[in-house]
Amino acid sequence: MKNTIKVMFFAVALMFSAFTMAQSTVTGTVMDADLNSPLPSASVVEKGTSNGTTTDFDGNFTLTTQSNSGVIEISYVGYGKVSLPFSGNTNLGNVSIASENALEEIVIVGTGVIDLAEGRQTPIAVSTIRAKEIQEKIGSGDITTSLVNTPSVYVAGQSGGFGDSRIAVRGFEQDNTAFLLNGQPINGMEDGKMYWSNWSGMNDVANGIQIQRGLGSSKLAISSVGGTVNFVTKTTDKREGGFVKTTVGNNNYLKTTASYSTGLMENGFGVTALLTHWQGDGYNMGTFGEGQTYFLSFGYKPNETHNFNFLVTGAPQWHDQNFSKSISTYLEKGRKYNDNYGYLGNQYLTERRNFYHKPVANLNWDYTINDNMNLSTVLYASWGRGGGTGGRGNKTRTADGLINYNAIHASNNAIANGEGGYFAAGGGYVTRASMNLHSWYGLVTNLEVDLSENLTLNTGLDLRTYQGTHFRQVENFHGLTSWQENIRLVDQNNDHQTYGSFGTYKNVVVTEGYAANPWTATFNTVSEDQRIAWDYGETINYGGLFAQLEYANDNLSVFFQGAASNQSHQRTDRYQYADNELISQVEADTNADFVNPDTGESITDGTEAEKVSNFGYNVKAGAGYIINENNNVYVNAGYYSRQPYHDNIYLNFTNQVNPLTENEKIFGLEAGYGYSSPTFSANLNLYRTSWKDRVTTSSDTDGSDNLIFITNEGVEQLHSGVELDFTAKVMDKLRLKGFASMGNWEYVGNSRTTTRDEENNVLSFEEEDVDGGKVGDAAQFTAGLGFVYQVAERFSVDADYRYNDNLYADVGAIKENLELPSFDLMDLGLSYKMLLGESDNRSMSMRLNVNNVFDSVYISELSSANQVEAGDESFNGINVNNRGYFGLGRTWNFSVRYNF
């Protein structure tokens, strides 16, 4: 018996010894192939066993295997699976795992200035949309539609025409959300606004979009209230190849795209080019559009230390526009009705056309100084040329409400010598174009230093200079030979009083104009003596410093971030102010000194306004903790002191400086919980954002022609809410995703309006209680559920359902806002990929989208808040006298793409 036990112990010991000798240690780092960033919580399993682990914050893993050789399988929810062999102790290095929504593998540059969430280990509220999903689902829509299935996001304005959508994040409009292109700020420098028609090419060149709600991870000296949206474009593809793609859709939509890349060649160079043309009639009447996209990227990687990439892209386009109308008008004439156009004989003409071309160029340089130090720099420029048209003069309409161009031409032809004019005896009508030109140059640079194994410092610069020019010109004379406008000037010493004693002494007669075409606008600008209505510009210079310090170990991450900036503004008005040349001319004509009739002081050149500078700053801090391999929590806080926009500094588009503007104050708190496993991941976020000290001021004159200032000192906006999003791999062929967000966005306190004289003495004060009034223009409750099901190999079907509720009219701060009816929408898609060779390099892909499958009728936005009173007609409980837009009905698009 004893011998038997000894043999058994010996056998067990031998087996254990053999097993121990067969074990190996496998290490590596799992990276997102699209965004070149670590993937935390990815699943790492020894094939054929249940032995596995997950990656940490940095995407790192260490796995002790049960055998000395075999295969490691790496997977992540929403990504493909990678299988790699190992033998003995093995370091797999960086393992790139491609999203199931991935496009071509690319070379990412500027990683230090492209502020993706993965660039900082402390978590934030974030959603990422991959290239394949952008390409497949947008169809003929704006790039904003790629974000509709994420929490706390609402997209409106789509009924206006191609590129006229608007996006709100956590209830804050897009001038209070920061938008970045490869680390380059792209919000308008004057007012923070975004015009998505200028970025129609983003659909074609975006490799990924990441929306960071709330405080975000941006290191720049920017102070966004709602969040930050990062657009990461293609750069230079690693492999040689290309594609050709054609898309057709409702209302004669047609789009063709071609792209080719040399790949990254042995000499370190690579070139990728893309060209697109699109056109369509638009969903509503009179909303035709046409445009192109070009993209050219040069990559050069001379060695492992340096990586360069230069790209230039642009999207010249024109589109005709639809404006909001009363609900009663839509009910009478149809939801697609638009009255901004008409016919001259059988020729279609529109009064409202947007046309613009905004080339963007940037040079990225990544410099690996040593193992612990990296420098990333982007030098960028953009040049905007274009504007929007409208009518000027006497307009007539047909019986059905369209513009009567036949009558207009007949009236213009009756004017003597064809010499029309605004406020002149000639009268008549022209189509004018309000032109907005700019030249914008900037530099963003970031130095990252690993101070120790756990401590990282980022510091950098954000420099920008912006020159804008704004004027009106004649776009179509409609048979006239000239157009005259009479201008009464003011000067810097007395901004708001004209010099009646000198009469009207500046007459502008124009005979030249250019068509509303983006390419024409790019290469042609009318001279100053051919401009009407206004002609002014601004110079804005911005300089910012930012720094971030982060400590992270296996379980804990803590960061502190700060930024400071100074912004200077100067306005120049070449139209309504008297310059020295004109003053001399007037003095010669009148044989009198040109003086202020009130003070007797000599009048000097008033074209250049006082220069104004403002200092701003922001601070952010947060911490994240990994409870275990599946659970993590975080908390972040931030305070912003944000400078006022340029358009709030100068009053009523004059050179008069607003003496009452001050920095806006934003304070944000957020906390979250995340769960992740190989088959299910979810994030829960809580937030509270307070926005104070907004000041808007206008000016006027009283009955005695004395200057007065009317100031709305604003009210506090308090936005709080909860957000949930999840993805689940139910089975190998079925993946679910969903989201829900519930916000409470309200005005706090009273709205205060103060009237002051030029000495800042209070003339009157009015206070209105708006406490608890609902913030409008975005649904405060949203929820959605989507799925992707693989019917067969390379054939899948997907659908997205979303519900919108607690949507209010966009009317500013009022106590009793008007709530719009809730609505839900369903989108459906089919995808099929056919291989034409042994790999995915040659394939044919087909995609069908049907949006708003059930053709739901809903009001997407209102710009008035008239309640239903006794005797009023209503539609779904809404007074039909309210103005706004119905949402788009059922639309569709189908695309075919050939990869080679």
Side-chain angles (χ1 to χ4, degrees):
M1 184 66 179
K2 289 183 178 180
N3 291 334
T4 303
I5 294 174
K6 289 180 180 179
V7 171
M8 291 177 63
F9 270 111
F10 179 77
V12 170
L14 186 63
M15 292 173 61
F16 181 79
S17 176
F19 175 77
T20 303
M21 293 178 61
Q23 286 182 321
S24 299
T25 300
V26 180
T27 59
T29 303
V30 180
M31 304 288 289
D32 182 317
D34 286 343
L35 301 178
N36 196 33
S37 57
L39 274 178
S41 300
S43 174
V44 182
V45 177
E46 183 180 1
K47 187 175 181 179
T49 74
S50 59
N51 179 39
T53 186
T54 57
T55 57
D56 64 14
F57 263 138
D58 295 322
N60 298 320
F61 70 88
T62 299
L63 178 64
T64 300
T65 65
Q66 295 179 357
S67 60
N68 193 49
S69 63
V71 174
I72 294 294
E73 292 184 335
I74 301 174
S75 62
Y76 191 79
V77 177
Y79 286 65
K81 182 182 291 185
V82 173
S83 299
L84 296 171
F86 71 91
S87 179
N89 295 331
T90 304
N91 183 355
L92 297 176
N94 286 348
V95 180
S96 292
I97 177 171
S99 163
E100 294 175 8
N101 292 325
L103 258 186
E104 298 83 9
E105 187 180 17
I106 65 164
V107 178
I108 289 286
V109 293
T111 53
V113 295
I114 301 176
D115 289 311
L116 300 177
E118 292 84 356
R120 188 179 70 214
Q121 297 183 37
T122 308
I124 58 173
V126 62
S127 299
T128 302
I129 296 89
R130 311 289 171 175
K132 187 169 183 288
E133 184 174 354
I134 298 170
Q135 292 286 321
E136 286 186 344
K137 293 192 175 183
I138 285 182
S140 59
D142 298 341
I143 191 69
T144 54
T145 60
S146 63
L147 301 171
V148 297
N149 293 308
T150 56
S152 298
V153 170
Y154 187 76
V155 176
Q158 298 178 71
S159 296
F162 290 109
D164 282 348
S165 65
R166 306 187 318 279
I167 183 173
V169 180
R170 289 185 174 174
F172 297 105
E173 296 181 353
Q174 54 193 21
D175 56 337
N176 293 301
T177 298
F179 295 90
L180 304 174
L181 173 67
N182 291 345
Q184 166 189 343
I186 57 176
N187 292 75
M189 286 285 282
E190 300 117 316
D191 52 18
K193 294 181 179 179
M194 290 292 298
Y195 300 94
W196 296 107
S197 57
N198 301 341
W199 304 100
S200 61
M202 198 74 74
N203 302 6
D204 303 304
V205 302
N207 188 63
I209 304 172
Q210 187 176 90
I211 177 169
Q212 303 168 8
R213 299 179 297 277
L215 297 173
S217 66
S218 174
K219 297 184 291 290
L220 299 184
I222 55 176
S223 302
S224 58
V225 187
T228 304
V229 179
N230 293 279
F231 297 103
V232 181
T233 70
K234 290 161 60 73
T235 52
T236 305
D237 295 340
K238 282 186 176 179
R239 68 171 183 85
E240 181 183 7
F243 70 89
V244 178
K245 180 179 179 181
T246 297
T247 302
V248 296
N250 57 280
N251 299 95
N252 296 317
Y253 183 79
L254 174 63
K255 179 177 180 179
T256 303
T257 304
S259 178
Y260 175 73
S261 176
T262 64
L264 195 60
M265 298 179 288
E266 291 183 2
N267 59 7
F269 283 95
V271 180
T272 297
L274 178 144
L275 186 63
T276 291
H277 177 85
W278 67 268
Q279 61 188 51
D281 296 348
Y283 180 80
N284 290 292
M285 300 164 59
T287 55
F288 298 91
E290 181 179 317
Q292 298 81 36
T293 300
Y294 56 86
F295 174 88
L296 189 60
S297 176
F298 297 92
Y300 178 51
K301 189 173 183 179
N303 49 50
E304 295 301 318
T305 301
H306 299 280
N307 191 10
F308 299 92
N309 198 92
F310 173 77
L311 69 82
V312 59
T313 184
Q317 61 78 39
W318 61 261
H319 70 277
D320 299 342
Q321 296 178 293
N322 174 40
F323 291 165
S324 65
K325 299 168 187 63
S326 67
I327 296 174
S328 59
T329 299
Y330 289 120
L331 295 178
E332 177 188 354
K333 299 185 176 181
R335 297 194 306 275
K336 294 185 177 183
Y337 178 71
N338 178 18
D339 58 2
N340 288 337
Y341 70 98
Y343 294 90
L344 179 61
N346 294 322
Q347 180 187 1
Y348 164 87
L349 294 176
T350 182
E351 186 179 65
R352 296 289 182 175
R353 173 169 292 180
N354 175 280
F355 59 105
Y356 216 79
H357 184 196
K358 189 174 184 175
V360 175
N362 63 53
L363 174 63
N364 283 273
W365 172 38
D366 285 341
Y367 175 30
T368 303
I369 301 173
N370 54 47
D371 291 341
N372 300 315
M373 190 177 300
N374 298 281
L375 179 69
S376 290
T377 303
V378 57
L379 180 67
Y380 64 85
S382 70
W383 305 270
R385 302 291 185 268
T389 66
R392 193 161 177 84
N394 302 317
K395 176 170 57 182
T396 59
R397 292 188 177 273
T398 62
D400 57 358
L402 300 183
I403 300 174
N404 193 338
Y405 284 108
N406 292 311
I408 287 172
H409 275 248
S411 177
N412 281 356
N413 290 335
I415 295 175
N417 301 318
E419 298 174 349
Y422 192 62
F423 293 139
Y429 172 92
V430 295
T431 301
R432 53 79 183 160
S434 298
M435 304 296 292
N436 296 293
L437 284 59
H438 79 248
S439 298
W440 185 349
Y441 305 93
L443 171 74
V444 179
T445 185
N446 179 77
L447 177 67
E448 180 176 293
V449 182
D450 293 330
L451 301 178
S452 68
E453 182 180 353
N454 303 112
L455 194 62
T456 302
L457 172 68
N458 281 271
T459 184
L461 293 171
D462 176 10
L463 306 175
R464 313 172 211 167
T465 182
Y466 177 95
Q467 178 70 55
T469 303
H470 314 275
F471 57 88
R472 276 184 170 176
Q473 65 186 39
V474 174
E475 190 268 339
N476 190 330
F477 284 92
H478 295 289
L480 296 175
T481 59
S482 65
W483 183 257
Q484 176 179 315
E485 301 210 356
N486 303 321
I487 310 303
R488 306 196 60 182
L489 299 182
V490 293
D491 73 277
Q492 191 70 14
N493 297 324
N494 194 0
D495 287 70
H496 292 274
Q497 294 183 17
T498 59
Y499 289 87
S501 57
F502 292 98
T504 299
Y505 52 80
K506 183 176 181 180
N507 299 320
V508 176
V509 180
V510 299
T511 58
E512 300 175 7
Y514 292 112
N517 181 284
W519 289 106
T520 302
T522 300
F523 300 106
N524 298 279
T525 302
V526 298
S527 57
E528 291 186 14
D529 62 357
Q530 294 292 306
R531 300 176 182 181
I532 62 174
W534 61 68
D535 181 13
Y536 67 92
E538 65 276 320
T539 300
I540 304 173
N541 294 312
Y542 179 98
L545 296 170
F546 56 85
Q548 173 182 285
L549 188 66
E550 183 174 36
Y551 171 84
N553 58 31
D554 291 342
N555 295 99
L556 176 68
S557 66
V558 180
F559 82 94
F560 176 81
Q561 188 181 112
S565 61
N566 190 73
Q567 186 164 275
S568 68
H569 305 257
Q570 186 155 36
R571 186 180 190 276
T572 302
D573 196 316
R574 296 170 291 273
Y575 200 75
Q576 61 179 324
Y577 288 87
D579 59 20
N580 287 331
E581 181 180 353
L582 184 57
I583 290 171
S584 299
Q585 177 185 332
V586 171
E587 289 179 336
D589 291 345
T590 59
N591 195 28
D593 292 335
F594 195 34
V595 298
N596 185 319
D598 295 329
T599 65
E601 296 177 355
S602 297
I603 294 174
T604 58
D605 192 333
T607 60
E608 195 168 88
E610 175 187 347
K611 188 175 182 179
V612 177
S613 295
N614 293 293
F615 176 80
Y617 65 91
N618 63 64
V619 290
K620 293 188 282 187
Y625 183 72
I626 298 179
I627 301 171
N628 52 43
E629 63 182 19
N630 301 118
N631 301 276
N632 70 84
V633 293
Y634 76 91
V635 61
N636 296 322
Y639 179 80
Y640 299 156
S641 177
R642 186 176 77 172
Q643 301 103 318
Y645 285 121
H646 177 90
D647 286 352
N648 287 336
I649 292 176
Y650 297 99
L651 292 168
N652 298 342
F653 297 99
T654 70
N655 283 354
Q656 179 70 39
V657 175
N658 185 348
L660 302 171
T661 55
E662 59 179 302
N663 282 15
E664 300 168 2
K665 314 299 189 304
I666 301 105
F667 179 63
L669 291 170
E670 57 190 24
Y673 163 75
Y675 175 84
S676 180
S677 73
T679 58
F680 180 79
S681 66
N683 298 285
L684 179 68
N685 304 296
L686 307 174
Y687 67 89
R688 183 186 186 275
T689 304
S690 170
W691 185 19
K692 297 180 180 179
D693 292 339
R694 288 180 299 145
V695 177
T696 58
T697 302
S698 60
S699 61
D700 203 347
T701 56
D702 61 16
S704 302
D705 289 334
N706 295 313
L707 187 64
I708 58 174
F709 300 103
I710 303 97
T711 303
N712 184 324
E713 295 174 89
V715 293
E716 178 184 354
Q717 278 183 224
L718 183 60
H719 294 224
S720 58
V722 57
E723 301 165 337
L724 172 69
D725 63 89
F726 71 88
T727 60
K729 195 169 186 179
V730 181
M731 57 183 72
D732 287 342
K733 295 184 178 181
L734 178 62
R735 188 174 74 248
L736 298 179
K737 62 178 181 177
F739 71 92
S741 58
M742 182 170 61
N744 184 33
W745 310 330
E746 296 183 339
Y747 296 100
V748 178
N750 298 328
S751 173
R752 299 177 299 277
T753 302
T754 307
T755 303
R756 296 176 172 87
D757 62 18
E758 290 187 79
E759 304 302 321
N760 284 334
N761 297 312
V762 175
L763 303 177
S764 65
F765 177 80
E766 296 180 4
E767 190 165 357
E768 180 183 359
D769 176 20
V770 297
D771 192 64
K774 295 295 185 179
V775 175
D777 205 34
Q780 301 199 19
F781 178 82
T782 61
L785 181 65
F787 73 85
V788 178
Y789 179 70
Q790 187 176 345
V791 180
E793 188 175 6
R794 298 184 302 279
F795 175 53
S796 65
V797 57
D798 58 84
D800 291 292
Y801 167 85
R802 59 187 177 275
Y803 174 77
N804 297 272
D805 196 10
N806 293 346
L807 171 64
Y808 295 87
D810 183 20
V811 291
I814 62 174
K815 182 76 171 180
E816 299 294 336
N817 203 346
L818 177 64
E819 184 175 359
L820 281 61
S822 61
F823 63 93
D824 54 0
L825 301 171
M826 173 75 83
D827 300 333
L828 179 68
L830 297 172
S831 295
Y832 177 67
K833 185 175 184 178
M834 179 172 57
L835 299 182
L836 302 177
E838 295 182 357
S839 69
D840 287 356
N841 292 351
R842 292 187 64 237
S843 62
M844 183 82 73
S845 300
M846 285 162 277
R847 172 73 182 184
L848 172 66
N849 289 308
V850 182
N851 298 320
N852 192 1
V853 173
F854 301 113
D855 201 21
S856 298
V857 177
Y858 63 99
I859 300 172
S860 64
E861 56 186 301
L862 288 180
S863 57
S864 59
N866 302 317
Q867 304 288 340
V868 176
E869 305 290 345
D872 289 340
E873 182 183 353
S874 66
F875 172 81
N876 287 351
I878 302 297
N879 191 323
V880 297
N881 292 324
N882 285 297
R883 298 180 64 86
Y885 292 99
F886 278 90
L888 301 184
R890 184 188 298 115
T891 61
W892 65 271
N893 58 82
F894 176 74
S895 62
V896 177
R897 172 174 167 142
Y898 170 63
N899 297 296
F900 60 91

